[in-house]
Amino acid sequence: MSTVTVQLFASYAELLGAPTVELPLAPGSTVKDLLSRIRSLPGASSLPNAPRVAINRSFAASEQIVEASDEIALIPPVAGG
Amino acid sequence: MKRSSVITREIDPASLINEVVSPQCGAVSLFLGTVRDANDGRSVSAIEYSAYKSMAEAELERILDEAEERFGVSVLVVEHRIGLLGLGDVSVAIAAAHPHRAPALDCTRYVIEEIKKRVPIWKMEHYADGTRDWVDPSGAAQVSSV
């Protein structure tokens, strides 16, 4: 197991009550695995079914492997402009 | 010449135009997004913009590269402001220059539409009645706060 840090923004940071969360993650875990870990956190039950995840500043597919050294973020619905 | 930034200072549209205008280009297209006083039937007093800045700038760069490839517009500048903005303040400015008008116009339209889909920037609207709410154009459940 390694520990990954997930950045949270805007409404998701409010839901989970922090700007980052740290999670244990087995080697070879995917974005989908990461999301199931996040769902077990307090406040996470209100997240949408498939929140967007960014890895190293790009949107990631659900089967993408997450490395401990990655910059990981949960991206709430965007509203720029 | 392409440039994109997420900034906290006021946007000066004239400086963006000066940055892209040239004798080789017969068209400059400028799009400005500004803070509106109402949304979804509620009276808005201000909007607080926040961003995942490093990714927002990376995504803006990708959008500008796509715009250049699609429309052949290589003179293109985008600034998006974050922080607390008042009514009428400019939140986003896109300036594109091209020898001809159609690519310049199409390009600014493309860039703003893509910003709205993919750039990690968020709005918290402040309402005249003192409440606040996250703006969620996707229609998913909103998180209310006071």
Side-chain angles (χ1 to χ4, degrees), chain A residues 8-23:
Chain A
L8 304 168
F9 296 94
S11 56
Y12 291 177
E14 276 191 3
L15 278 177
L16 291 154
T20 59
V21 289
E22 296 207 338
L23 299 164

Side-chain angles (χ1 to χ4, degrees), chain A residues 2-78:
Chain A
S2 51
T3 302
V4 296
T5 303
V6 180
Q7 297 187 65
L8 304 168
F9 296 94
S11 56
Y12 291 177
E14 276 191 3
L15 278 177
L16 291 154
T20 59
V21 289
E22 296 207 338
L23 299 164
L25 207 61
S29 293
T30 63
V31 164
K32 202 173 164 185
D33 300 328
L34 175 84
L35 285 173
S36 10
R37 283 265 176 198
I38 290 172
R39 282 190 194 291
S40 63
L41 297 171
S45 56
S46 306
L47 286 173
N49 287 335
R52 288 210 273 183
V53 174
I55 294 189
N56 300 329
R57 304 179 200 102
S58 289
F59 287 109
S62 63
E63 298 310 318
Q64 187 169 331
I65 304 288
V66 181
E67 308 284 349
S69 58
D70 284 340
E71 182 175 317
I72 305 162
L74 272 198
I75 309 291
V78 302

Side-chain angles (χ1 to χ4, degrees), chain B residues 101-131:
Chain B
R101 68 185 181 282
L105 288 164
D106 292 346
C107 178
T108 45
R109 177 71 188 257
Y110 177 80
V111 172
I112 186 60
E113 298 300 341
E114 292 304 307
I115 286 173
K116 286 183 168 285
K117 285 181 217 161
R118 327 166 15 189
V119 177
I121 293 177
W122 301 280
K123 280 186 235 196
M124 177 174 278
E125 284 180 339
H126 294 228
Y127 301 106
D129 63 6
T131 60

